[in-house]
Every structure is written in C-alpha cells, then in structure tokens.
Amino acid sequence: MAWDFSTEPEFQQQLDWMRDFVREEIWPVETIFGELSDDAFRRLIAPLQEQVRERGLWAAHLDPELGGQGFGQVKLGLMHEILGTSPFAPVVFGNAAPDSGNSEILALAGTDDQKQQWLHPLLAGDLKSAFSMTEPHTAGSDPTLLETTAVLDGDHWVINGRKWFSSNASVADFLIVMAVTDPEAHKYQRASMLIVPVDTPGVNILRDVPTMEHPYEHYGRYGGHSEIEYTDVRVPADALLGPRGAGFLIAQQRLGPGRIHHCMRWLGVSKRAFDMLCERAVSRHAHGSVLADKQTVQNWVADSAAQMHAARLMTLHAAWKMDTEGAAAARQEIALIKFHAAVLHDVVDRALQIHGALGYSTDLPLEAMYRFARAARIYDGPDEVHRQSVARRILRGYEPPADGVPSEHVPTRREAARARFADLLEAVTSND
Ligand SMILES: Cc1cc2nc3c(=O)[nH]c(=O)nc-3n(C[C@H](O)[C@H](O)[C@H](O)COP(=O)(O)OP(=O)(O)OC[C@H]3O[C@@H](n4cnc5c(N)ncnc54)[C@H](O)[C@@H]3O)c2cc1C
C-alpha cells in the first residue's frame, strides 16, 4: 500500500538548484532576447548549458546510453514544472521542443546510422530539427487525412505536399516529415516518417507564419512556425524512420511523454502568473482596501490554487502511471490532463486582469504568457479531441439497461427490494 507524494532528497536538491538557476540565470535573458542575434543568444546560453551538463541534467529525457539520465516521467515532470517558468529554460537544459520530441523519435525508431548522423549531434546541440506533420488544407486534428505523399522511386523516396506550423523549421538542419507512403493500407498504417535534410532540393520554406504569440513575421528565428512546400523532394530509401507505415505508432509513443512535459511546463507558467496575481493583490489599493480584501480577488486566488493543484496531481499521476505501467496504459490519463491543464489560461487571465492596464501592457510578461497559453488548447491535439477521446473511452464501459429503465429508477428498485425483503416487511407490518 504505497501512496507516496514525496520526492527523494537527492532529487529534491537538484530541483532546488534548478529553481534558483532558472530564476537567477535564465529569467533575465527574457528581457533582452529581442535585442540579441541568434549567434549572440547561442553564445549567451552556452556557459549556462555547460553548467547544466556538469550538474548531470542535460537532455534528461533520454536514456543514459544516449547521454540522458533515464529519470522517468515523474522526475521529468517535476523538472519541466521549473523549466516551464521561462521559454528559454528548456533550450538551456537540452530538452526544448521540438528537438526533445524528435530525439525521442530517433532514439525509439532510428537505425544505428541514423542515430549517428542525426541523434548524437542533435543531443550535443550541434543540430536543430523540426517535426513536419500538420498541413494547411487537411484537418491536423485528424491526421489520417494527411495528403503529403512519399513515393518510392528506385532507391529514393519522392515527397510532395505542403505543411505548416512546422515549429523551428526555418532554423532547423533537418525535418522529420510525416507522409503517406501506403495509401491503400489501414488508415493508421498509411503514413511513415522520413528524415529530410532542410537543404534538400525541393524543400521550400515559404515563411514563418505570424501568430498570436509572434504577431510580426520574423523569418528564421527560434520559435517560428514554418510553412513549407515539398516539391519532388528526393531522399534516399534509408531516410525512412522506423518501419514503413509506422508513422502513427511512433507519433503516439512520442506524444505521451511530450504531453506530460507540456502540462508541467504550463503549471510552471501558471505558478509564475499566480505569484504575480498574489503580489498585486496584497499591494494595490482600490475602493478603501487592498485588492486582497475583495471577495472576487479571494475567489481568484483560491480557485487558481485549487485548479493548479488538481492539474498538478493529475499530471504527476499520469506520469507515475506511464512510469509504472507504460505509455499505452496511461492514454486516458494523458488525454485528461492535456485539456484540463489548460487551466493555465484561466490563471494567467486572472493575473492579467488584476494588474489592469499594466497587465495588458508589455511592461509585464503576462500578456505574452496569455498569448502563449491560448496555443496550448490547440497544439498536440485540440481540447475537443482529447475530451472526445476521454468520453468515448469512459462510455465504452457502459451499456443501456436491458429493459430500458434507468438502473437507478427508484420505484423499480423499491419494487425489487420489497420482493427481496418481503418477510421482514411482513414482520414489521404484523408487529404494528
Ligand atoms: C503553437 C503551435 C505549434 C505547433 N507546432 C507544430 C509542429 O511543430 N509540427 C506540426 O506538425 N504541427 C504543429 N502544430 C499544429 C497543430 O498540431 C495543429 O494545429 C492541431 O493538430 C490542430 O490541427 P488544425 O490546426 O488543422 O485544426 P483542425 O483539425 O482544422 O481543427 C479545428 C478545430 O476543430 C475542432 N475539432 C476538431 N476535431 C474535433 C472533434 N473531434 N470534436 C469537436 N471539435 C473538433 C477543434 O475546436 C479544433 O480546434 C502547432 C500548432 C500550434 C498552434
């Protein structure tokens, strides 16, 4: 009977170190990032990355033979809660999306040669990658509709199609492209993943799509979401990643841990916003008292604390289930947290509101957090798809009552209970 919510002391020390390090060394970078060239940014973070390596926390999502720590999802989740407080912390710790997810794919499905050529330099931070699946003209939330094709022509695959929201593609060295290789197969076995160097002829990165998070187009910067045209792109047959037709299977294995990390990072952002909410509540006066004395504000504080606590427990539970029973067993829990942990949005919204005009201004990071938070309800599957999957799974455990009468129908149950306990009821009546 083990229900244990504690963290091992040695690992807690690592977390404490991380919390201070991220706050002292990485948060300040946020305020000058816009003034730095990519090269200056790389030079700025290089010594920080070195400290992370020395501490044994670099690329901790991977197994030890690949230079990671083999921590498992609970520990990784606790780390990501701290890393989530700053958009630059994951890159300093060697586990920023999409490189972290792509390194998992390569570790999972790559051949020795592919690992040598792509995974090791990716982990060393010498290469960057992007994951190119979503298309502008098909529903990304239903990737069985993918239209990009890869056709085997002799000893080469020829890729044609258009993708967008391939995050970081405009700064990437290679792309992992999901394309239909087997149109006649079962809908979940039609697609495969292929490694495509970004300088392959026919790869045309059209733009970094301006978004709510980055409203002004900035081509070729970290964090951009690229639109890409693939026209007769030829890659060798051994560019195939994993077995032919295994694209969905690999994507599924990669997405589970990724969603736990996302949710924990969102909790990190929420906690930072929550601290701002509380600081403002105890410092701003209006209508005769500090804001903290207003019941609405007290409700915001209490509701935010409850939502974050619930999301945190749910996410760590999903991580624990994944560690103990495997990714497939934790599918329901992961779908639950993916939409529930989007409470991030509510907490940031309240923190922004309590700061009034200041919250809306770029003098505080809240407006940027708010824009970031909105995307969380769309990427890695929109909320509605996860809700649907949770509900379907739950409903599979139910059947309509045989006679059409609800099983809890009181008159029906009473009639059955009267028949069952007729002797006792008889005795009560005769004692009267
Ligand atoms: C910031 C960001 C980064 C991204 N990074 C990447 C990346 O690196 N690589 C990549 O390949 N993709 C990436 N994406 C794309 C992302 O995965 C897709 O946007 C997502 O899968 C949804 O697909 P879609 O945009 O085509 O929306 P659609 O599939 O067109 O869905 C639109 C809306 O329809 C509704 N809907 C869909 N299905 C259902 C349903 N079953 N029930 C009820 N309502 C439903 C939902 O409200 C949904 O938001 C990124 C997206 C964002 C916002």
Side-chain angles (χ1 to χ4, degrees):
M1 177 71 197
W3 283 78
D4 193 345
F5 294 90
S6 62
T7 311
E8 307 166 354
E10 306 79 55
F11 191 67
Q12 187 58 52
Q13 278 177 9
Q14 291 281 49
L15 294 175
D16 294 342
W17 177 83
M18 280 180 69
R19 195 166 286 112
D20 291 344
F21 178 77
V22 169
R23 197 182 183 111
E24 300 303 320
E25 306 295 336
I26 303 179
W27 286 18
V29 179
E30 296 164 7
T31 59
I32 54 160
F33 176 71
E35 300 165 39
L36 296 169
S37 65
D38 277 358
D39 183 53
F41 175 66
R42 267 196 296 277
R43 278 190 280 128
L44 189 155
I45 62 170
L48 303 179
Q49 291 174 321
E50 202 42 50
Q51 286 188 60
V52 170
R53 282 196 180 88
E54 282 164 15
R55 194 82 198 179
L57 292 169
W58 177 258
H61 55 292
L62 288 175
D63 287 340
E65 65 271 18
L66 294 168
Q69 304 298 319
F71 276 160
Q73 299 307 323
V74 172
K75 283 184 174 172
L76 284 174
L78 292 168
M79 286 179 67
H80 276 280
E81 187 177 19
I82 298 169
L83 299 184
T85 60
S86 173
F88 303 111
V91 71
V92 172
F93 280 73
N95 56 22
D99 288 342
S100 54
N102 290 340
S103 63
E104 277 166 356
I105 291 180
L106 285 161
L108 195 78
T111 60
D112 287 345
D113 284 348
Q114 287 171 335
K115 285 181 186 163
Q116 199 62 34
Q117 189 175 358
W118 305 110
L119 176 60
H120 296 297
L122 187 64
L123 290 174
D126 296 335
L127 292 183
K128 291 202 190 68
S129 63
F131 185 68
S132 195
M133 179 158 103
T134 306
E135 301 175 349
H137 306 305
T138 65
S141 52
D142 181 1
T144 62
L145 302 174
L146 284 182
E147 285 177 355
T148 297
T149 53
V151 178
L152 203 52
D153 177 25
D155 53 3
H156 279 77
W157 291 101
V158 182
I159 305 171
N160 279 288
R162 184 180 282 242
K163 302 282 185 181
W164 80 336
F165 276 81
S166 299
S167 304
N168 281 357
S170 62
V171 293
D173 300 283
F174 70 96
L175 310 154
I176 296 183
V177 181
M178 184 94 147
V180 176
T181 47
D182 299 86
E184 304 309 325
H186 181 274
K187 64 178 181 168
Y188 291 114
Q189 289 159 358
R190 294 169 63 225
S192 305
M193 288 190 191
L194 297 119
I195 302 174
V196 179
V198 83
D199 55 5
T200 312
V203 174
N204 187 7
I205 302 187
L206 302 170
R207 59 172 181 153
D208 278 342
V209 182
T211 63
M212 191 170 163
E213 196 182 355
H214 303 288
Y216 306 106
E217 190 167 348
H218 249 144
Y219 183 79
R221 288 225 73 182
Y222 171 73
H225 305 294
S226 311
E227 181 162 0
I228 310 175
E229 199 162 61
Y230 296 87
T231 312
D232 293 331
V233 175
R234 294 180 77 87
V235 288
D238 63 7
L240 191 70
L241 195 44
R244 186 170 170 162
F248 285 111
L249 190 67
I250 301 169
Q252 208 52 47
Q253 285 166 317
R254 174 215 179 200
L255 286 171
R259 285 176 181 147
I260 288 181
H261 307 161
H262 275 317
C263 293
M264 290 305 282
R265 284 200 290 263
W266 299 341
L267 285 163
V269 182
S270 317
K271 178 63 170 58
R272 193 166 166 188
F274 181 72
D275 287 341
M276 283 189 260
L277 191 168
C278 295
E279 185 185 79
R280 176 75 164 190
V282 297
S283 46
R284 188 73 161 181
H285 266 261
H287 300 284
S289 71
V290 280
L291 294 177
D293 288 344
K294 321 285 182 200
Q295 194 174 33
T296 294
V297 172
Q298 292 167 353
N299 287 343
W300 286 347
V301 171
D303 289 349
S304 301
Q307 285 176 311
M308 289 190 303
H309 192 52
R312 189 170 190 270
L313 289 176
M314 284 168 71
T315 308
L316 289 173
H317 175 255
W320 170 83
K321 191 151 181 182
M322 196 179 270
D323 282 347
T324 51
E325 295 177 38
R331 280 180 75 170
Q332 176 81 344
E333 285 73 11
I334 288 165
L336 274 172
I337 59 166
K338 174 62 182 58
F339 69 84
H340 186 77
V343 293
L344 152 72
H345 177 269
D346 300 351
V347 178
V348 173
D349 186 51
R350 293 174 191 131
L352 194 152
Q353 184 73 10
I354 200 174
H355 283 86
L358 176 62
Y360 189 70
S361 79
T362 56
D363 283 0
L364 285 183
L366 286 165
E367 60 80 35
M369 289 178 179
Y370 188 77
R371 288 181 286 122
F372 165 79
R374 191 61 188 81
R377 295 184 47 206
I378 298 173
Y379 58 74
D380 263 15
D383 284 4
E384 294 75 16
V385 173
H386 291 288
R387 283 199 170 92
Q388 184 179 50
S389 133
V390 165
R392 274 191 182 151
R393 228 167 247 270
I394 291 173
L395 292 172
R396 255 183 243 147
Y398 290 84
E399 280 179 6
D403 50 7
V405 179
S407 354
E408 293 282 0
H409 186 243
V410 173
T412 310
R413 287 170 53 219
R414 187 182 294 125
E415 200 179 322
R418 279 189 177 142
R420 180 171 169 190
F421 301 112
D423 291 354
L424 286 171
L425 290 169
E426 178 72 15
V428 172
T429 317
S430 33
N431 285 344
D432 281 348

